[in-house]
Each structure stands twice: as C-alpha cells, then as structure tokens.
C-alpha cells in the first residue's frame, strides 16, 4: 500500500497520520472517490475528480485544489509499480472540535493506493429491507458516511452474495451499496433514474454512453421477480453479470455480454493521468 496525506508521501503507509479530531473520523464529514489503476494508469481520473468536486460542494467543503490532488495521485503511482490496484482519494472537513460543527480549516486530503484483484465477470446479489432516502441531504453525494452500506453488505455476505440491493422510500429499485444496477425487462435494458436516489456512477454514465439504456423507475420487487438479465456497474466491478438474485437464478445473457464487450472495447481510451483532463 502507498499513502499520501496533505502533500507528503508517507514512508510507512500504515503509520498513524490523521488527527483524532479530524471531522472525517469524528462524524464522517468527508467525500471520496475510488478508481482502478491498470499498469500504473488511473482509469477515468478526470471524471472522478469532477464528481469529487461536486460531492465536496454539495457537502459544503471548501473548493478542492485539483492540481494538488493530481500531484498526490502521481506520487502514489510513482512509489511502486501497480499491475492492478484500487486508488482512493478522500477529502475531509479537517480537524475540528468533537461534534458536528465545522471550523474554518483547510480540508484533509488523503490518497491511498493498494494492490487489488479484478472482480469476476459474474456475482450474486440480495435485496435488503432498508431503504435509500432519495430526498436526503447527502443523496447523490459520494460521502464517507457509509455505515448503512457496511450493515447491508454484511447481511448480503451472510447469504453468499457480494452486493446488497436497496429500494428507495417509494419501493422503486435504487442501487447497491457501491454499485448501480442495470436490468432487462420487457426486452429493454433499463437502469434507475438519478432522481430515484442512486449515486451518479462513473461506470453507469460510461455504459449509458458506450452501450445505451433506458433510464426509468420500476418497483424493486418487480425487477427482482421479472428481469431476464441483470448486471452491476462500479469502478472495480466494471460490468458484472448478476447470475443469482436471492434464490432466483439469472442467465449471463446476451445483453450483458454485449455490454461487457462494449466496455472492454472502450475502457483503454480513459486510462492515464491526462485522459479527459
């Protein structure tokens, strides 16, 4: 693992390096991005930094120093070769007194890189009883407040799945803990609208651009019961077929395979520090 914090590459990435009063630690007051690295090249870095800026603005954090963050990314990439890795950029509200109130300080900027293993082409999911709030203050923001995802994912793993699927407050399909959902229903490829509450995934947007799908809202129960194909998208899943949803078996079907092929055909165009900068 390699770690860079506030302008400095750490000699020991596992050493204590963040204040116990940092607002990201105390109350989850922070935003982040996770992206893959292939052969020392970050994927879709500019798109991830765009979303990081939107999330920071939505949370009320100071404007980000994009140049500083890019230098941090370069530093961890140069620290050691990476065949395939997970890069995480985290920005928090910085040190503050214990409690929810912020003070005017510079944000804490943390960049970490660890080796990873590519995900398999297929997976299993389960629906969970908790609901996403499509009207919440942090809806659509990629914040560090991930406790409900931790709980839901633990339940999914108890059932042999790698992802938990949420409905929103009206019962429509929303998203996974860290993924967007695409499905084939009535012969058409569909995905939930952003107004239904999911995060605007980078991979989701690229699949819409490179392959296409209808953005629409359907009850989660109907999708779970009647969809003929389902796949997940995220920064490290890419396009991953769902071959089991709870007790129901699903095919790794032709639409999903075509979407995966479209992804493989196009993804190298967004590798590198300068891609879409």
């Amino acid at each position: 693992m390699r770690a860079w914090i506030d302008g400095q590459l750490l000699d020991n990435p596992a050493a204590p390096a963040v204040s116990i009063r940092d607002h990201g630690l105390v109350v989850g007051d922070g935003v982040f991005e996770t992206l893959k690295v292939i052969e020392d090249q970050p994927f879709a870095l500019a798109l991830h930094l765009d979303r990081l800026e939107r999330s920071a603005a939505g949370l009320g954090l100071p404007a980000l120093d994009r140049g500083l963050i890019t230098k941090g990314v370069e530093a961890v990439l140069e620290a050691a070769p990476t065949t395939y890795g997970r890069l995480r950029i985290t920005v928090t509200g910085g040190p503050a007194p214990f409690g929810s109130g912020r003070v005017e300080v510079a944000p804490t900027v943390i960049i970490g890189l660890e080796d990873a293993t590519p995900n398999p082409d297929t997976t299993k999911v389960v629906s969970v009883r908790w609901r996403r709030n499509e009207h919440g203050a942090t809806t659509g923001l990629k914040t560090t407040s991930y406790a409900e995802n931790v709980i839901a994912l633990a339940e999914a793993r108890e059932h042999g799945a790698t992802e938990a699927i949420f409905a929103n407050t009206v019962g429509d399909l929303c998203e996974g803990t860290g993924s967007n959902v695409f499905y084939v229903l009535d012969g058409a490829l569909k995905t939930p609208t952003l107004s239904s509450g999911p995060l605007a995934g980078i991979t989701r947007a690229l699949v819409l651009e490179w392959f296409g799908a209808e953005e629409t809202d359907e009850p989660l129960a109907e999708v779970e019961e009647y969809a003929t194909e389902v796949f997940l998208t995220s920064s490290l899943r890419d396009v991953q077929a769902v071959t089991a949803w709870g007790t129901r078996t699903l095919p790794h079907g032709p639409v999903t395979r075509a979407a995966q092929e479209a992804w493989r055909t196009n993804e190298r165009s967004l590798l590198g520090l300068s891609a879409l900068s």
Side-chain angles (χ1 to χ4, degrees):
M1 191 169 97
R2 286 74 90 193
W4 178 100
I5 299 180
D6 293 336
Q8 180 179 357
L9 186 67
L10 303 186
D11 293 332
N12 179 1
V18 176
S19 168
I20 64 168
R21 300 196 332 173
D22 192 277
H23 233 214
L25 174 64
V26 175
V27 293
D29 179 21
V31 295
F32 77 100
E33 286 293 321
T34 299
L35 55 149
K36 66 180 178 180
V37 173
I38 301 174
E39 297 173 355
D40 301 319
Q41 300 296 309
F43 177 76
L45 177 61
L47 296 177
H48 282 280
L49 292 181
D50 289 344
R51 187 172 64 181
L52 187 69
E53 290 179 328
R54 293 194 298 270
S55 294
L59 205 61
L61 294 174
L64 303 185
D65 186 338
R66 190 161 174 147
L68 178 67
I69 293 172
T70 301
K71 288 180 180 178
V73 171
E74 292 174 336
V76 297
L77 289 171
E78 291 170 358
T82 305
T83 301
Y84 187 88
R86 179 196 303 263
L87 178 72
R88 175 169 167 135
I89 305 166
T90 306
V91 179
T92 80
F98 294 146
S100 297
R102 287 193 185 119
V103 295
E104 292 188 11
V105 296
T108 301
V109 182
I110 305 167
I111 300 172
L113 173 63
E114 63 182 4
D115 292 337
T117 301
N119 281 289
D121 285 343
T122 65
T123 195
K124 176 182 177 180
V125 305
V126 295
S127 300
V128 290
R129 61 189 181 278
W130 303 287
R131 300 290 182 97
R132 287 292 203 224
N133 179 6
E134 67 273 25
H135 306 296
T138 59
T139 299
L141 308 180
K142 196 169 179 65
T143 77
T144 57
S145 301
Y146 252 47
E148 71 173 13
N149 290 331
V150 172
I151 294 168
L153 190 55
E155 177 161 307
R157 287 174 174 167
E158 289 178 1
H159 292 86
T162 71
E163 183 60 298
I165 306 299
F166 292 95
N168 63 13
T169 61
V170 297
D172 287 340
L173 172 64
C174 185
E175 63 180 349
T177 66
S179 65
N180 293 110
V181 185
F182 287 74
Y183 58 95
V184 177
L185 191 64
D186 299 326
L189 180 63
K190 304 179 180 184
T191 194
T193 65
L194 294 181
S195 62
S196 70
L199 183 71
I202 303 300
T203 307
R204 173 190 183 274
L206 292 173
V207 168
L208 289 172
E209 177 183 346
W210 293 342
F211 190 69
E214 178 185 351
E215 296 179 84
T216 188
D217 296 318
E218 307 272 359
L220 183 149
E222 292 189 15
V223 177
E224 182 176 359
E225 183 172 0
Y226 297 114
T228 54
E229 292 184 44
V230 178
F231 63 80
L232 305 178
T233 62
S234 75
S235 293
L236 274 83
R237 292 179 187 270
D238 296 335
V239 177
Q240 186 180 46
V242 172
T243 53
W245 190 328
T247 59
R248 184 176 178 228
T249 300
L250 288 158
H252 186 173
V255 176
T256 301
R257 291 182 185 277
Q260 289 173 324
E261 181 58 31
W263 182 266
R264 287 189 289 266
T265 299
N266 288 282
E267 70 170 343
R268 298 199 72 83
S269 66
L270 291 183
L271 284 174
L273 287 165
S274 61
L276 281 185
S277 59

